[in-house]
Amino acid sequence: MPPISNDWLPALRGEFQKDYYKNLHQTVMQEYRTRQIFPEADDLFNAFHLTPLKDVKVVIFGQDPYHNVGQAHGLCFSVKPGVEIPPSLVNIYKELQDDLGCYVPNNGYLVKWAEQGVLLLNTVLTVRAHQANSHRGIGWEEFTDAAIRILNEQDRPIVFILWGRPAQMKKAMLHNPKHLILEAPHPSPLSSYRGFFGSRPFSKANNFLKQHGIEPIDWQIENL
């Protein structure tokens, strides 16, 4: 597991000393040694590497990484270039097109969002190949909850986008009045028609940022 080296490190350092994290680290390293685990170990903390704490403007929560070969690379909802766009991201792109007029790109590589300050954080950061939710309950939830509490304490406006019930359960940790919380059903094909479509999260986030004098996000992912 590559160390976090930017300003997330001092913020999260206390977690690394706790017993749950030591156990989590041992478990995950053993899993990498004995099984096929996604994402690759070097990509594990990409959400933190690509979006320093001081730069976070928007937070989008996912559940756990994609579990098929070549998809996951450490950012929720994002897949590597050349990989078929997953159904939930297809629906995110549809809503983005309806909301802001962005064209639907030919890839699902969301690094552009991360580099602009969109923290794309899964609740659980690893998964066994072809076994969704297989690393639920081994300690990642406690670690990412710590990151959420750190974000909540930031003394500046941040947008939190909570799609689906697991993400919305994090709302209890978000009580800073400076922040904006946007909730909608999950973009998966099973739930997107229950109110995800038409929720306009991208324009709402940008309007909030602009109201507070913060550069909005360019949500357009370009074709590769």
Side-chain angles (χ1 to χ4, degrees):
M1 292 158 61
I4 296 172
S5 58
N6 59 18
D7 60 353
W8 277 107
L9 178 59
L12 288 167
R13 184 174 279 124
E15 299 304 304
F16 299 134
Q17 311 306 319
K18 294 181 180 178
D19 287 343
Y20 89 85
Y21 189 85
K22 293 173 185 175
N23 292 333
L24 168 65
H25 186 271
Q26 287 181 343
T27 300
V28 171
M29 296 314 294
Q30 177 66 12
E31 288 280 287
Y32 272 113
R33 282 192 294 270
T34 58
R35 296 177 179 270
Q36 187 173 23
I37 301 300
F38 301 130
E40 295 176 10
D42 286 347
D43 289 336
L44 182 55
F45 289 128
N46 273 351
F48 298 105
H49 291 151
L50 291 169
T51 313
L53 177 58
K54 66 179 174 54
D55 295 337
V56 175
K57 301 176 182 180
V58 179
V59 183
I60 298 177
F61 295 123
Q63 287 180 252
D64 69 334
Y66 296 122
H67 54 82
N68 289 328
V69 176
Q71 290 181 306
H73 65 106
L75 304 179
C76 72
F77 295 107
S78 181
V79 290
K80 295 178 181 178
V83 175
E84 183 179 0
I85 302 172
S88 291
L89 185 53
V90 169
N91 286 339
I92 290 169
Y93 283 162
K94 286 179 183 175
E95 178 61 18
L96 183 54
Q97 185 175 45
D98 289 344
D99 188 6
L100 290 177
C102 295
Y103 67 81
V104 176
N106 63 4
N107 67 93
Y109 192 54
L110 303 182
V111 165
K112 177 182 175 180
W113 291 359
E115 290 178 338
Q116 292 181 84
V118 182
L119 183 70
L120 297 166
L121 185 64
N122 278 313
T123 300
V124 174
L125 300 188
T126 52
V127 68
R128 288 179 181 174
H130 317 302
Q131 295 181 49
N133 288 319
S134 49
H135 280 180
R136 182 172 56 191
I138 67 171
W140 281 127
E141 293 91 342
E142 193 166 347
F143 180 73
T144 53
D145 280 359
I148 294 167
R149 286 192 291 271
I150 290 164
L151 290 161
N152 176 67
E153 292 165 1
Q154 297 304 298
D155 189 29
R156 66 181 195 275
I158 297 174
V159 183
F160 292 85
I161 297 177
L162 310 181
W163 288 330
R165 193 153 168 270
Q168 288 161 10
M169 289 171 68
K170 307 298 184 189
K171 186 178 178 181
M173 290 185 280
L174 302 173
H175 44 73
N176 187 330
K178 293 198 171 184
H179 302 327
L180 175 67
I181 299 173
L182 300 175
E183 298 179 75
H186 195 275
S188 79
L190 296 173
S191 57
S192 55
Y193 289 95
R194 297 181 196 149
F196 172 77
F197 290 128
S199 60
R200 304 181 69 85
F202 308 103
S203 61
K204 288 176 181 175
N206 275 357
N207 288 339
F208 177 80
L209 294 173
K210 286 187 279 190
Q211 286 167 10
H212 289 87
I214 300 168
E215 184 75 20
I217 305 298
D218 176 7
W219 294 100
Q220 178 69 68
I221 299 295
E222 285 85 9
N223 286 332
L224 294 176

